Amino acid sequence: MTGPRPAATATAPGYPASQQPAQLRPGPGIEESQLPDLQLYERLIGDGIAAADARGSAVDHVTARRLAICLAARPQAPVFAQHLVRFTRTGAVSHALKTQLRVHARSGTYADQAQAARLMEYCIARGTDLGPVGENFGAACDQIDRADTLLAAAHARARHGGRAAPEPAWPETAGPRITALARHDPDTGTVTLVLDTTTASIAMFALAAHADEREAHIREVERSGAGLPDGSYGRRNRQAIAARETRVATRLRAVQHAYQAAAGRDTAFTAPEPAHTLRLPGHAADREIELD
């Protein structure tokens, strides 16, 4: 992995940079209103991560500082928070900071695991050069943030014909911060999702609607095949379609009921034995061709 770039703009997508605590206030000459807001911070950090991935290196110093600001704005252990703040001011990477980042980056339950892992990659890429990054590192980064904010405002005015951009309305701004993290374990073949309550509720609504569509398709296929002769291609084709749709719907319902059980609204879900399903070798199931 190559080392971090000096400065390219760039938080992990969806991570809200909440209001900075007092120890992270901008330096003299920079007003908080001149620095990126929540949505702009997310976009800048996302751009920085994408740029790092494209060149196959760690994120640059500015992106790393923005990640540290986001982490420090969240509740953290005192030691971790202290060394995050130190890094945002000087760019110095302490042993304690690397230790905390390593622990959180390897954790499957830490809410900001993806951000900690990115910042850990940056610290590793710095090698033995872990001291302060130039003079007035924090103030210089604040100037870059201010420039990015002014540039974004100019682009917004241009998109709206010189008029001020309209205030965003719900659902663009309202609601809690978005938490959407995923972890794939290739050894067990499992994927772990971590979602905030609002996002999970929306996802489950969409999942249940999709399961409803699958089950309605199963009923339609079974009705259309009920009057066909036993052993006919048309009936076997419909049975194969129903079997496939049942397998998909069963998994969707398993996720839905597991969520309901975790939310205290249902009991744990046990997948039933598939009904009306036949595994027919040698016959590829056409989705709709035999339904007319």
Side-chain angles (χ1 to χ4, degrees), residues 228-240 280 282-286 289-290:
L228 296 176
D230 289 337
S232 66
Y233 173 76
R235 186 159 188 169
R236 293 200 311 271
N237 186 56
R238 285 161 174 76
Q239 289 172 334
L280 302 174
H283 292 276
D286 299 317
I289 191 170
E290 285 291 325

Side-chain angles (χ1 to χ4, degrees), residues 66-111:
R66 287 168 176 168
L67 285 169
I69 288 174
C70 291
L71 288 171
R74 300 279 297 149
Q76 306 289 357
V79 173
F80 189 27
Q82 176 185 352
H83 288 273
L84 283 169
V85 171
R86 179 190 175 198
F87 172 76
T88 64
R89 291 174 175 172
T90 67
V93 177
S94 65
H95 177 73
L97 177 61
K98 292 181 68 174
T99 300
Q100 291 291 320
L101 287 173
R102 184 178 294 108
V103 170
H104 293 313
R106 295 175 178 175
S107 171
T109 58
Y110 182 60

Side-chain angles (χ1 to χ4, degrees), residues 4 37 51 54 56 68 70 87 95 109 112 122 126 143 151 154 159 168 180 209 227 249 262 277 279:
D37 60 12
C70 291
F87 172 76
H95 177 73
T109 58
D112 302 310
Y122 162 86
R126 287 190 49 179
Q143 292 288 351
L151 184 61
R159 286 194 302 270
T277 61
R279 188 179 298 273

